Amino acid sequence: DQQVKQNSPSLSVQEGRISILNCDYTNSMFDYFLWYKKYPAEGPTFLISISSIKDKNEDGRFTVFLNKSAKHLSLHIVPSQPGDSAVYFCAANPRGSNYKLTFGKGTLLTVNP
Amino acid sequence: GAGVSQSPSNKVTEKGKDVELRCDPISGHTALYWYRQSLGQGLEFLIYFQGNSAPDKSGLPSDRFSAERTGGSVSTLTIQRTQQEDSAVYLCASSPRLVSYEQYFGPGTRLTVT
């Protein structure tokens, strides 16, 4: 039972354009959401997060949007750079369990020069 | 400073053998977590430690899996009588506090059971 779903295994965009990575979740107990970025042969690194009390969080080129009614979040990267090419994981943790992350399967983003 | 390190980076073992995977967290981090990523899947939470104790072992897939942490630092994940379905990348993370957004991950150990 996949509680966090990333339905696009891969995404390819042109340098300078916007990258939009999507994530859906099914567990209404999730109240904190995170995006991680992973390069080959490295562990995931934390990128940006959002609490369920917000609908948007921005950090430089990265913005995460949360639509609670649709149980959907997205990560926007603008402008995209070749160094952004990596696997992006969406993750969530449930209320009362601020350590136990549930991850999606990841989306491979390729930014072409 | 040094990040989370894991050893070995790769391990190939025969079905039925026991394996030990090691994690060295970032110095001073009190919380330590183990995850695994099977092929084509997301990361799956296995267990976490606060200090040397493991309050939540709910993610361990079977009683063949165990983990310990000594001295509030190094942790070992042991898989007994390995099965082919245990093949995965095993990731360790640590954090200075028990919060999800401060988990720093190691590079993982790729386990292949033949």
Side-chain angles (χ1 to χ4, degrees):
Chain A
D1 176 28
Q2 197 78 19
Q3 297 186 56
V4 176
K5 300 176 184 177
Q6 294 177 258
N7 292 319
S8 297
S10 63
L11 174 68
S12 183
V13 300
Q14 208 63 32
E15 181 179 5
R17 306 295 289 269
I18 185 170
S19 296
I20 300 177
L21 297 114
N22 293 304
C23 178
D24 297 291
Y25 61 96
T26 57
N27 189 341
S28 57
M29 290 294 289
F30 288 147
D31 71 346
Y32 197 80
F33 303 89
L34 307 90
W35 284 94
Y36 278 80
K37 175 179 178 179
K38 184 182 183 303
Y39 292 117
E42 295 183 12
T45 55
F46 170 72
L47 190 58
I48 192 170
S49 62
I50 188 166
S51 165
S52 60
I53 63 173
K54 295 186 174 182
D55 54 19
K56 177 182 175 181
N57 188 27
E58 191 171 353
D59 183 2
R61 297 185 297 113
F62 302 90
T63 303
V64 56
F65 295 92
L66 175 62
N67 182 334
K68 288 187 290 294
S69 60
K71 292 192 174 68
H72 177 84
L73 64 156
S74 60
L75 174 68
H76 292 210
I77 306 173
V78 56
S80 300
Q81 299 173 355
D84 296 329
S85 298
V87 176
Y88 288 79
F89 289 99
C90 172
N93 71 236
R95 197 173 302 121
S97 177
N98 61 348
Y99 59 88
K100 194 170 182 175
L101 291 173
T102 299
F103 284 81
K105 295 182 181 182
T107 296
L108 173 62
L109 173 66
T110 303
V111 180
N112 301 303
Chain B
V4 177
S5 62
Q6 292 185 245
S7 61
S9 54
N10 280 286
K11 176 73 176 177
V12 181
T13 190
E14 291 180 355
K15 177 182 172 181
K17 296 283 180 70
D18 297 352
V19 294
E20 284 190 353
L21 312 179
R22 176 186 168 108
C23 172
D24 282 89
I26 294 172
S27 178
H29 281 194
T30 58
L32 185 147
Y33 318 78
W34 283 98
Y35 294 83
R36 76 173 176 182
Q37 185 178 17
S38 303
L39 189 63
Q41 302 297 315
L43 280 74
E44 172 191 6
F45 171 83
L46 298 179
I47 188 172
Y48 89 93
F49 289 88
Q50 180 69 352
N52 290 334
S53 66
D56 186 353
K57 303 180 182 179
S58 62
L60 294 177
S62 77
D63 58 8
R64 296 186 294 105
F65 287 71
S66 63
E68 65 174 16
R69 188 180 186 195
T70 54
S73 181
V74 172
S75 177
T76 303
L77 178 69
T78 302
I79 309 172
Q80 295 179 309
R81 304 181 303 282
T82 51
Q83 303 294 312
Q84 288 187 330
E85 61 263 28
D86 300 334
S87 296
V89 176
Y90 289 81
L91 288 148
C92 173
S94 70
S95 63
R97 300 178 297 152
L98 195 62
V99 288
S100 56
Y101 52 85
E102 290 184 337
Q103 292 185 24
Y104 295 85
F105 282 83
T109 293
R110 181 176 295 278
L111 175 66
T112 304
V113 182
T114 61

